[in-house]
Amino acid sequence: MTVWIAIALTAVGCYLVKLLGLAVPAGVLERPLLRRLAVLLPVALLAALTAVQTFGTDHGSLALDARSAGLAAAAVALLLRAPFLVVIAVAVAVTAALRALGG
């Protein structure tokens, strides 16, 4: 039952954060610092999430495995200016191949 309590509290928290965003006056949101923060914060959060999910383990240590190779392959595909779906396909293929080989 505690899982459902956590889900309910998370839903209420998300709703309150959205409500708080609507309560902020428009003048506050027009400040250059907040505009820049609103542009950069999602990118930083996504990068942090990617790093934790790629290099993290259950024990809190650093891991270099198939996920890391998939991310590296995606980075190479991006440097070669591949379309987004190709980047994803390359990352998935490299990760799956290494996992199939036992890595």
Side-chain angles (χ1 to χ4, degrees):
M1 193 56 135
T2 58
V3 173
W4 288 108
I5 293 171
I7 291 172
L9 288 176
T10 303
V12 169
C14 289
Y15 179 76
L16 291 176
V17 167
K18 283 189 170 273
L19 189 62
L20 180 66
L22 293 174
V24 175
V28 173
L29 299 175
E30 295 299 324
R31 294 181 183 166
L33 178 63
L34 285 178
R35 283 179 160 243
R36 184 165 171 83
L37 182 67
V39 168
L40 296 177
L41 192 61
V43 175
L45 289 173
L46 184 58
L49 178 64
T50 302
V52 168
Q53 292 296 316
T54 301
F55 301 112
T57 64
D58 293 339
H59 311 300
S61 60
L62 183 66
L64 293 174
D65 55 7
R67 297 173 297 173
S68 308
L71 182 65
V76 170
L78 280 173
L79 288 174
L80 296 174
R81 299 188 183 269
F84 182 70
L85 290 177
V86 173
V87 172
I88 299 299
V90 166
V92 168
V94 168
T95 303
L98 287 177
R99 285 186 175 172
L101 294 173

